[in-house]
Each structure stands twice: as structure tokens, then as C-alpha cells.
Amino acid sequence: MTSPSQHWTLPHALQWLPAPASLPEGSVYAILEGDPSQPGLFTARFRLPAGTRLAPHWHPLEERATLLSGKLRMGVGEVFDESSMTEIGTHGFLLVPPRKWHYAIFDEATEIQLTGNGPWEVIYAPAS
């Protein structure tokens, strides 16, 4: 029987890069394992600045996110409705099924960790 290789990533060793163009300017990310742009498992951390708004969007595959710091408000649907959003704080967890419309507001600087299968994509609703 073979065992998986061991891998440690220490916080000071993370390489923060500008986030993909599908995320708002000022967002950065660091890859812990895998490659979100390729098929297969990946884990990445994203830092989104305070005031970031993500318009209604979906992902082709499940999205699993853990809030490491900060908070966000999240809503479900193809139309942005701030009155129906739920606040999720530090240590909260999100599991969004494939093709499920959702949107978010990051009221404060927030760091989230995504684990999923690539390729990871953000498909935004057409502008109305």
C-alpha cells in the first residue's frame, strides 16, 4: 500500500498573486495545492478587499469555501437582492452546488480557502 506524499505550507511561504480576472481588482490568491485552471483537486486561498461585491454567478463544479478571517454576506439567485443575504463569519463554511446562482458582499477584508476540482471558473449573469 502506498501513502500520499506529505506537504506542508507555512503562512510566510505563501506566494500571493493577483487573482484571476474573473474576480474584482485588488483580490489576490495563493495556491496551496494543484492548479485551479486544470482538471483535478486544488486548494487555494483568496483575499478579497472590504467592499468587494461579486455579482450573481455560478461555477461548473462544486465550490467549497471556508472563511479564515473576515465576513461576507451571501445570497442565492440570478438577481442581486441585498435584503435576502445571509451573513457568514470567520470559520463559516460554504458548499455551493454546481451551476447554483449566488452572489456576495465582503463588508470587511476577508480571506477564504477554496477546495475543489478544476478547472475553476466563474460564470457571471448577463448584465440586465
Side-chain angles (χ1 to χ4, degrees):
M1 181 167 94
T2 61
S3 62
S5 62
Q6 295 181 1
H7 175 82
W8 290 271
T9 301
L10 301 176
H12 69 274
L14 292 175
Q15 181 181 3
W16 293 96
L17 303 169
S22 59
L23 294 177
E25 187 174 331
S27 302
V28 296
Y29 80 125
I31 297 173
L32 283 83
E33 67 169 330
D35 181 345
S37 70
Q38 299 299 314
L41 182 67
F42 75 90
T43 302
R45 291 188 181 165
F46 290 80
R47 289 181 176 166
L48 296 110
T52 297
R53 293 171 69 96
L54 295 180
H57 65 280
W58 54 268
H59 310 281
L61 301 169
E62 286 180 327
E63 179 178 47
R64 291 175 175 84
T66 302
L67 274 75
L68 302 178
S69 66
K71 68 177 179 179
L72 63 84
R73 288 180 287 146
M74 184 170 164
V76 176
E78 194 171 346
V79 177
F80 203 103
D81 177 8
E82 203 164 333
S83 69
S84 70
M85 299 178 89
T86 299
E87 185 175 298
I88 302 165
T90 299
H91 306 297
F93 176 75
L94 306 167
L95 175 58
V96 182
R99 299 184 175 270
K100 179 76 169 184
W101 288 102
H102 59 287
Y103 48 90
I105 298 175
F106 296 80
D107 293 313
E108 57 188 62
T110 300
E111 185 173 331
I112 62 174
Q113 181 166 301
L114 295 182
T115 297
N117 286 296
W120 185 74
E121 297 178 74
V122 181
I123 312 298
Y124 286 100
S128 12

